[in-house]
Amino acid sequence: MERDAERRALAEVQARLEQRFPHLHPDVVAAAVTVAHQSLDGPVRDFVPVLVEHAARDRLAFADPEAPDPAPAGGKDGADGLSGPADA
């Protein structure tokens, strides 16, 4: 993934998380995205936006008591297409 594409994808991740966590200040959401992104420094960049979104979402869920539960793998958002623990 090119750097410009990664930046655009991360901006989309941040926008989705701001919608999911409306009770949190956008700066808090931005910080969670930044922290998650900084922890991923490997050469393969294709999955960075997905990994950042999952890590930041989980981090933000602890900060917002009114937030919906993070969707487990294969949960209601089903974005990753994997089965959850109940399906194992």
Side-chain angles (χ1 to χ4, degrees):
M1 176 174 278
E2 295 180 19
R3 289 189 186 267
D4 288 339
E6 186 172 310
R7 282 188 201 112
R8 285 191 302 273
L10 291 173
E12 293 170 7
V13 164
Q14 184 171 333
R16 280 193 300 273
L17 291 173
E18 287 174 2
Q19 288 179 342
R20 185 176 179 119
F21 298 95
H23 297 96
L24 295 178
H25 193 279
D27 290 346
V28 172
V29 176
V33 170
T34 298
V35 167
H37 184 243
Q38 288 175 342
S39 70
L40 301 170
D41 59 359
V44 178
R45 309 303 295 173
D46 292 342
F47 301 104
V48 167
V50 172
L51 296 171
V52 167
E53 185 163 6
H54 285 238
R57 180 192 64 207
D58 292 347
R59 196 177 305 254
L60 292 168
F62 285 107
D64 186 0
E66 297 184 35
D69 290 334
K76 59 185 168 190
D77 69 1
D80 56 13
L82 300 174
S83 297
D87 297 332

